[in-house]
Amino acid sequence: MSAPIFLNALRAFEASARHQSFSAAALELNVTPAAVGQLVRSLEEWLGVPLFHRGSGGRARLVPTDVALRALPDIRDGFDRLNLGFARLKEGSAVGVLTVTVSPAFAAKWLLPRIDRFQSAWPETDVRLDTSLKLMDFATQGIDIGVRYGAGNWPGLEAEKLMDEEVFPVCSPAFLDKHRRLRGPADLAGLTLIDDLSVDRQIGFVTWDAWLETVGKKAIAARSGLKINNSAAVLQAAIDGRGVALARSVLVRDDLAAGRLVRLFPDIVRPSVLAYYVVYRKECAALPRLVAFRDWLLGEACVD
C-alpha cells in the first residue's frame, strides 16, 4: 500500500474547508495563513483541479468546490484512522495514561481505597478512571481496561474472573442495637429494607425478593422501602441507620472490616451467579500498562 502524499497539504485543505478560512486554519495548525494558502495551492497544482471558490470578501471568501466536498468525508475519515493508529502506537509504551472503566460504586468502595498501591508500583502510569454504569465501546471511546459485573460474556472483550460474590443483609451497629430482635430473616418484617436498583434484574442480580424467597420468607412485608440506584449509596444509607441493606460482599468488605456495618444472619449463605471480571480487547492483551494493571487487580483480589 502506497503512503499518502501531500499529507500536510491535505491537513491544510481539510482545516481550511472546515473553517472556510486560511487564517482560522492557520491558527488551528499553528502556522501562518500564507503557509496554509501555499500548501493548498500546491495540492491544487498537483491535482490539476481547484479546491475552493475564492471570493473577494464577505462570509463566503473560501468555499469548497463540488469535487472538494465529495472528497472531504473520506479525507476526514482517513485522519481519524491515522489518529487511532497513532494512539495504538502510544499504547505500546509502559508509561503514559491508562484509561479504566468501572462502575461508580466499585470505584468508591473497592478500587479507590487500593489504587495508591498500583500508583506506587507504577509511578509513570497515570490512571484515568471513567466511572459509568453504561457499557462503553472500548475501541471508539479509548478505554484500555475495565472491571464489569455480570455473567462474564461481553461481545468483543476478553473477560477474566476477578472476584466471586455473596449477597447478605447488613445494618449499622446502632441499628442492630436498636432492633435487638434481629436474629433471623423473619425478624425483618416491618423494617425498612434498602433496595439496590443499579443492576439489571434480567441478568440474575439478587434482589430482596429473591433473597427472601431463598430463605423461605417470601411473604415478609416491609413497613417501608428505600430504593436507590447506586450501590455505594445503598451501603451509605445502611451506615446512616436508614434500614437494612442487601449488600454485595465485594463492595461491603471494607465497611464490615471497619465496623461501620454488621452482617446479619452469617449462617445463611447466598452466592451470586454474577461476579466481577477484568475486561479488555484481545488485541490489546499484551500492552505493558494493561498487563501491569490487570495483574495488579488479580493480585489485590487474592489479598482480599
Side-chain angles (χ1 to χ4, degrees), residues 234-249:
V234 166
L235 296 180
Q236 188 58 50
I239 291 170
D240 293 341
R242 306 298 182 192
V244 180
L246 193 59
R248 292 153 55 187
S249 58

Side-chain angles (χ1 to χ4, degrees), residues 22-27 31-39 41:
F22 286 154
S23 296
L27 285 174
V31 296
T32 66
V36 172
Q38 181 57 45
L39 284 168
R41 281 191 292 273

